[in-house]
Amino acid sequence: MKNTFELEHVGINTDNAGEAEQLALLLCKLFNLEPRHGQKSEFAGNYFEYMKSPFLGKNGHIAVKTNYIERAVNYLSTVLGVEFNEESAKRDAKGNLKAIYLKEEIGGFAVHLVQK
């Protein structure tokens, strides 16, 4: 089985909830996307997430989904030398890894892997 990587969403940091909602609604209007409200963010469709307050990454974060997150982490770390922020790891009730951020930002964006 092949491990694939796909864009899940781009998270964009804003200063407050009002700005997050305004920007998300603008993208929804421009591109006919459905708004989705969350506790910490506002979504424009599935691909744009506006954070209600600054979060990881100078500019925001990029979420990359993969069908085998443990294998992806192993590959990226052992073959490519990528380091991960272990404190950011999210696990389900059984202890399976669901999400984890890379240690370093790329172009001002934090990057995290999420289980498909």
Side-chain angles (χ1 to χ4, degrees):
M1 292 184 204
K2 186 177 179 184
N3 198 22
T4 58
F5 297 100
E6 299 174 38
L7 177 65
E8 175 73 6
H9 66 262
V10 175
I12 301 158
N13 289 339
T14 68
D15 290 330
N16 57 61
E19 182 182 13
E21 183 176 29
Q22 178 185 17
L23 293 171
L25 290 174
L26 176 59
L27 274 183
C28 288
K29 179 180 177 182
L30 290 173
F31 301 114
N32 195 29
L33 301 171
E34 289 295 319
R36 194 171 82 230
H37 307 287
Q39 265 188 299
K40 297 179 182 179
S41 63
E42 298 287 339
F43 271 86
N46 292 324
Y47 300 115
F48 303 101
E49 179 184 24
Y50 285 92
M51 304 308 295
K52 292 180 180 179
S53 63
F55 191 59
L56 295 177
K58 177 180 139 192
N59 301 317
H61 65 275
I62 300 168
V64 177
K65 63 184 172 183
T66 182
N67 46 350
Y68 300 103
I69 192 169
E70 296 279 0
R71 287 170 55 187
V73 168
N74 183 55
Y75 169 78
L76 291 171
S77 61
T78 59
V79 176
L80 300 179
V82 173
E83 294 183 55
F84 289 87
N85 176 351
E86 295 297 332
E87 293 176 11
S88 72
K90 303 276 189 253
R91 298 186 179 278
D92 65 15
K94 295 181 181 179
N96 298 312
L97 185 62
K98 302 306 285 178
I100 190 166
Y101 278 86
L102 279 64
K103 198 173 223 177
E104 300 296 322
E105 291 182 12
I106 299 174
F109 284 87
V111 178
H112 70 108
L113 297 179
V114 294
Q115 177 64 46
K116 199 183 241 188

